[in-house]
Amino acid sequence: MSERYRTGDRVRTSAVDPEHHTRLPHYARGRVGTVVGQDGVHPLADLRAQGILQPQQVYLVRFPARELFGRGDHHVTLSLWEDYLGDE
């Protein structure tokens, strides 16, 4: 299994707005966050909904609330599949 990202890496989420099911929240698309850990290896939910099992690394990515919502002094951590992430 790939472990492309390490704790501390800055990543940008995919900005794609697919027509099918996705576990990447709309408010987090195209946003920059920091990998703070790993959350196991699981089938990609987007493909699993179509009956295709494709396990991949899931990362815990922390975002400043300002990056996601334009305001706030807290952080939000999301579990995101590797396919949702790219280098910043």
Side-chain angles (χ1 to χ4, degrees):
M1 232 14 73
S2 171
E3 289 186 18
R4 180 175 176 185
Y5 301 106
R6 304 272 185 235
T7 298
D9 286 351
R10 290 178 48 86
V11 294
R12 180 176 298 276
T13 61
S14 172
V16 174
D17 190 12
E19 294 183 20
H20 57 76
H21 171 81
T22 183
R23 298 280 299 174
L24 176 59
H26 192 270
Y27 63 83
R29 294 181 189 161
R31 305 300 182 165
V32 175
T34 303
V35 174
V36 294
Q38 296 181 359
D39 201 15
V41 176
H42 305 282
L44 179 61
D46 302 18
L47 296 177
R48 188 175 195 166
Q50 300 170 39
I52 303 168
L53 297 181
Q54 180 186 346
Q56 60 180 258
Q57 186 66 52
V58 177
Y59 296 92
L60 296 169
V61 182
R62 185 177 184 202
F63 299 87
R66 288 188 192 280
E67 175 71 14
L68 299 178
F69 310 116
R71 61 189 172 96
D73 59 0
H74 61 286
H75 290 85
V76 176
T77 301
L78 300 173
S79 292
L80 299 173
W81 277 260
E82 190 171 286
D83 273 5
Y84 297 153
L85 305 175
D87 298 329
E88 187 210 3

